[in-house]
Amino acid sequence: MSTEATSRTVMTAPGTGARTPEAAGVITDARTRIDDLDGRIIGLVQERMAVSAVIQRERISSGGRRVNLAREMEILAHYRDQLGRPGTALAMTLLELSRGQI
């Protein structure tokens, strides 16, 4: 294939890294799906934060502590069991978002 033809192939799919229109179409569709999933995940995280705030408020108003470390350990273990070691980091981030830093 000539350099000119190769350049045209690469230019067929700018921003996708694909070298064919077919691959570019698959990548574009998949990215649209990822964007939708990310929006849903963000919405779920926000919902989780709101539910956590209710739990904290009730725990504190009843004389308890803001954070229940035993429960947090359960959550960390669950994420680790389901997603491996990176799941622990994800759970830590979710816990931090839901209760703030200790």
Side-chain angles (χ1 to χ4, degrees):
M1 183 180 287
S2 72
T3 304
E4 184 178 311
T6 302
S7 296
R8 271 188 279 142
T9 302
V10 173
M11 294 302 291
T12 302
T16 65
R19 296 187 181 261
T20 66
E22 295 78 16
V26 170
I27 290 168
T28 299
D29 291 347
R31 284 181 176 172
T32 299
R33 185 158 182 230
I34 284 175
D35 290 345
D36 178 57
L37 289 167
D38 285 345
R40 291 167 45 199
I41 290 167
I42 290 167
L44 289 169
V45 169
Q46 291 170 331
E47 183 178 350
R48 186 191 195 289
M49 291 167 63
V51 172
S52 181
V54 169
I55 293 168
Q56 288 178 48
R57 184 175 56 248
E58 291 303 312
R59 188 183 301 122
I60 291 168
S61 70
S62 70
R65 300 181 75 181
R66 182 171 67 102
V67 175
N68 180 334
L69 294 177
R71 174 64 176 149
E72 289 195 0
M73 294 306 292
E74 290 174 11
I75 293 166
L76 290 169
H78 178 67
Y79 274 76
R80 183 190 62 243
D81 292 346
Q82 296 299 309
L83 301 173
R85 188 171 160 196
T88 303
L90 176 59
M92 286 297 295
T93 299
L94 288 171
L95 290 170
E96 183 178 331
L97 285 167
S98 296
R99 54 127 161 90
Q101 293 183 341
I102 295 177

